[in-house]
């Protein structure tokens, strides 16, 4: 009788490799984050190595002695590959693969892999494939025999996988086609932005480090039903929802893709239109995981990314989230923020304070008026409701007595 074998999905076992170029850098923290990325991508970490050296080796990322050490660790642990904490050059990838006779990946490839799995909208899929192809086009020689690794595993997922074995000319053509498609999507996004500006509805962009709780906050404030998991990059595609405030005021809340240290250049370029939601917003919610010991470094990464995108002169409201999970009692500061609040989105703590603060900020740009509007001009009250805040209205013999906060253009007509 034939022996039965269970088909089990192969879980990749990898070794993490990093380089610490100076004392006091964040190499260890970065490697811990890489471990979370690898876990999110579906692999298991079986070992870690950090080499201290003045600069990364131009040919093999780490020194030749460390390469031998990695080879021994691969044999001991049965690892199926290694993941380096920085983006490898084509020659580094090729040399490491030949010397170690194993699958070689880098931080960028892992992030691209996660993005490929998580993208769900047309725009998201185009952006991910574009980033994948740009990354791979410069590494056609670097991938070596891994170019045919379509058997599965990390680095083979996503819309770009079926294009792995095409030549540079075809990749170039595909990139040009994707750029055309992306420009069309971006035009549509710009039309939406123009419409929002015309309607004078204020926009609040939610930004923050990945897994800080942005989607959970959007869900709790607006019942958006966006996927919110305790994972890195749980959601990629931006979602916009209306938030109702006191006085019939409305704002649009837009969730954005999470930031992370060493965010690949290919992704920043591909997702620029999405990330620029912050650039065209009126206010910014900067969501911070207050329970994370690395919150200061994460905040720095977020502001650095915003600076690179040209986001400036915005009112920033920093929300120190996950207070329910916080263990330390250190004071929380964000000196670049205009306002700070401590909240727990999952427990719905501090949400009323957020709405109250937003309502106050909206009033700052409006003029308070008390008027009696003649009945033959009652139509202007609809504009007050739409663009301002109608505090009260009372119907008198002479007209409608109102108390309201109105923008300057409506005030001029009053």
């Amino acid at each position: 009788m034939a022996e039965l074998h269970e088909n089990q999905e192969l879980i990749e076992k990898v070794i993490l490799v990093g380089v610490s170029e100076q004392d006091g850098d964040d190499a260890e923290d970065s490697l811990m984050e890489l471990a979370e990325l690898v876990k999110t991508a579906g692999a298991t970490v079986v070992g870690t190595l950090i080499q201290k050296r003045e600069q990364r080796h131009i040919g093999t990322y780490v020194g030749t002695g460390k390469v031998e050490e990695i080879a021994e660790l691969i044999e001991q642990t049965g690892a199926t590959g290694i993941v380096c904490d920085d983006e490898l050059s084509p020659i580094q990838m090729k040399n490491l693969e030949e010397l170690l006779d194993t699958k070689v990946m880098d931080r960028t490839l892992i992030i691209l892999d996660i993005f490929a799995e998580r993208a769900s909208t047309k725009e998201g899929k185009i952006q991910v494939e574009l980033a994948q192809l740009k990354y791979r086009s410069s590494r056609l020689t670097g991938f070596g025999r891994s170019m045919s690794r379509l058997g599965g595993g990390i680095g083979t997922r996503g819309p770009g996988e079926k294009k792995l074995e095409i030549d540079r000319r075809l990749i170039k053509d595909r990139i040009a086609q994707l750029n055309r498609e992306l420009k069309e999507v971006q035009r549509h996004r710009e039309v939406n932005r123009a419409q929002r500006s015309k309607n004078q509805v204020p926009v609040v962009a939610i930004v923050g480090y990945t897994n800080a709780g942005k989607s959970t906050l959007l869900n709790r404030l607006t019942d958006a039903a966006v996927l919110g998991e305790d994972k890195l990059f749980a959601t990629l595609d931006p979602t916009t929802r209306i938030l109702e405030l006191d006085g019939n005021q409305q704002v649009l809340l837009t969730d954005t893709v999470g930031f992370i240290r060493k965010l690949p250049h290919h992704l920043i370029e591909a997702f620029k239109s999405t990330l620029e939601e912050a650039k065209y917003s009126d206010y910014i919610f900067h969501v911070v995981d207050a329970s994370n010991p690395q919150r200061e470094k994460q905040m720095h990464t977020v502001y650095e990314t915003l600076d690179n995108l040209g986001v400036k002169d915005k009112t920033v409201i920093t929300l120190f989230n996950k207070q329910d999970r916080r263990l330390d009692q250190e004071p929380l500061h964000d000196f670049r923020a205009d306002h700070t609040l401590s909240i727990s989105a999952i427990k719905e703590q501090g949400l009323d304070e957020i709405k109250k603060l937003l309502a106050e900020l909206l009033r700052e740009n409006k003029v308070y008026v008390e008027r009696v509007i003649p009945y033959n001009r009652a139509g202007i009250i609809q504009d007050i409701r739409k663009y301002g805040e109608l505090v009260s209205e009372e119907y008198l013999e002479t007209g409608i007595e109102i108390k309201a906060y109105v923008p300057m253009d409506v005030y001029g007509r009053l």
Side-chain angles (χ1 to χ4, degrees):
M1 186 174 174
E3 194 176 338
L4 294 175
H5 294 278
E6 255 186 61
N7 285 330
Q8 291 184 334
E9 187 180 345
L10 178 67
I11 297 177
E12 294 185 69
K13 297 188 289 184
V14 299
I15 293 165
L16 307 184
V17 181
V19 172
S20 175
E21 295 179 280
Q22 59 185 32
D23 290 335
D25 65 9
D26 61 352
E28 287 189 18
D29 296 334
S30 187
L31 219 59
M32 285 171 62
E33 186 174 83
L34 181 62
E36 282 296 311
L37 286 166
V38 165
K39 180 183 172 185
T40 302
T44 301
V45 176
V46 294
T48 59
L49 282 169
I50 296 179
Q51 182 176 36
K52 289 190 175 183
R53 54 182 294 133
E54 288 184 5
Q55 59 185 31
R56 299 167 214 157
H57 193 286
I58 195 168
T60 52
Y61 182 61
V62 293
T64 50
K66 190 60 72 172
V67 172
E68 292 174 8
E69 201 177 318
I70 294 169
E72 291 174 10
L73 194 57
I74 290 171
E75 192 173 340
Q76 291 168 12
T77 59
T80 56
I82 69 166
V83 182
C84 297
D85 194 33
D86 296 280
E87 188 168 311
L88 298 176
S89 68
I91 194 67
Q92 286 172 333
M93 185 173 281
K94 183 173 182 290
N95 288 341
L96 282 172
E97 202 168 60
E98 288 177 354
L99 290 167
L100 297 171
D101 191 30
T102 194
K103 185 175 180 179
V104 177
M105 297 166 281
D106 60 17
R107 188 185 185 95
T108 300
L109 191 64
I110 299 296
I111 294 175
L112 284 170
D113 194 74
I114 296 168
F115 272 48
E117 188 179 24
R118 298 284 163 83
S120 58
T121 64
K122 180 184 177 183
E123 182 181 8
K125 289 175 181 177
I126 292 172
Q127 288 167 327
V128 170
E129 185 177 356
L130 192 57
Q132 284 179 323
L133 288 175
K134 284 181 177 178
Y135 173 82
R136 286 167 175 155
S137 66
S138 63
R139 289 166 173 75
L140 285 176
T141 54
F143 273 118
R145 56 189 172 75
S146 285
M147 280 297 293
S148 59
R149 60 178 180 218
L150 291 178
I154 297 171
T156 65
R157 278 190 282 254
E161 65 181 328
K162 55 187 174 291
K163 301 293 183 184
L164 268 175
E165 294 179 344
I166 60 180
D167 61 23
R168 277 194 176 88
R169 181 181 58 81
L170 291 178
I171 285 182
K172 189 177 177 182
D173 291 345
R174 180 63 178 156
I175 286 174
Q177 181 188 340
L178 288 170
N179 274 324
R180 287 193 296 271
E181 290 179 25
L182 192 57
K183 280 180 182 174
E184 188 60 39
V185 176
Q186 287 169 351
R187 272 197 291 271
H188 180 67
R189 186 182 290 281
E190 285 164 9
V191 168
N192 287 342
R193 283 185 189 137
Q195 187 63 42
R196 292 199 305 244
S197 179
K198 184 180 177 182
N199 291 340
Q200 295 184 338
V201 180
V203 178
V204 180
I206 306 175
V207 305
Y209 209 76
T210 182
N211 204 29
K214 299 183 300 301
S215 297
T216 303
L217 177 67
L218 185 68
N219 286 340
R220 292 298 188 270
L221 286 172
T222 66
D223 298 323
V226 176
L227 175 68
E229 291 185 273
D230 189 15
K231 286 182 179 178
L232 303 182
F233 302 117
T235 52
L236 287 185
D237 303 302
T239 305
T240 300
R241 293 290 184 271
I242 293 174
L243 172 62
E244 301 281 352
L245 301 173
D246 290 340
N248 293 322
Q249 295 187 101
Q250 291 182 339
V251 295
L252 290 175
L253 287 187
T254 299
D255 193 9
T256 62
V257 64
F259 300 161
I260 196 167
R261 75 185 86 193
K262 302 179 183 178
L263 190 65
H265 174 71
H266 311 284
L267 278 178
I268 291 178
E269 281 302 307
F271 278 80
K272 202 164 189 178
S273 65
T274 304
L275 292 169
E276 280 184 341
E277 287 295 330
K279 189 175 180 178
Y280 297 103
S281 66
D282 300 288
Y283 304 94
I284 290 177
F285 278 171
H286 176 194
V287 183
V288 178
D289 180 357
S291 68
N292 193 315
Q294 303 300 318
R295 57 181 174 260
E296 295 286 341
K297 290 178 180 177
Q298 292 181 353
M299 288 162 64
H300 175 74
T301 298
V302 170
Y303 281 123
E304 193 174 48
T305 307
L306 289 175
D307 290 341
N308 290 338
L309 289 167
V311 179
K312 54 187 177 181
D313 301 327
K314 304 291 180 185
T315 299
V316 177
I317 303 156
T318 293
L319 305 173
F320 288 108
N321 191 29
K322 301 190 183 182
Q323 294 292 332
D324 55 302
R325 294 170 54 174
R326 193 172 165 216
L327 299 176
D328 67 85
Q329 295 302 316
E330 291 182 27
L332 299 169
H333 300 292
D334 182 0
F335 297 108
R336 286 190 60 170
D338 299 281
H339 306 273
T340 59
L341 291 172
S342 294
I343 68 164
S344 171
I346 196 102
K347 299 288 185 182
E348 299 192 1
Q349 296 168 0
L351 302 191
D352 288 339
E353 284 78 1
I354 293 174
K355 294 178 183 177
K356 183 181 176 183
L357 176 59
L358 258 184
E360 289 172 358
L361 290 173
L362 292 179
R363 287 190 195 115
E364 286 180 2
N365 297 321
K366 296 182 176 73
V367 181
Y368 179 72
V369 294
E370 293 183 7
R371 292 281 192 282
V372 175
I373 308 294
Y375 285 106
N376 62 357
R377 295 197 61 218
I380 199 167
I381 294 178
Q382 292 305 318
D383 286 345
I384 294 172
R385 284 198 180 96
K386 187 175 181 181
Y387 303 122
E389 178 186 355
L390 189 61
V391 178
S392 69
E393 59 181 319
E394 186 178 349
Y395 289 80
L396 308 173
E397 285 186 17
T398 53
I400 307 166
E401 184 180 65
I402 63 155
K403 295 178 182 177
Y405 292 91
V406 298
M408 286 304 295
D409 59 335
V410 176
Y411 177 72
R413 289 177 1 234
L414 284 171

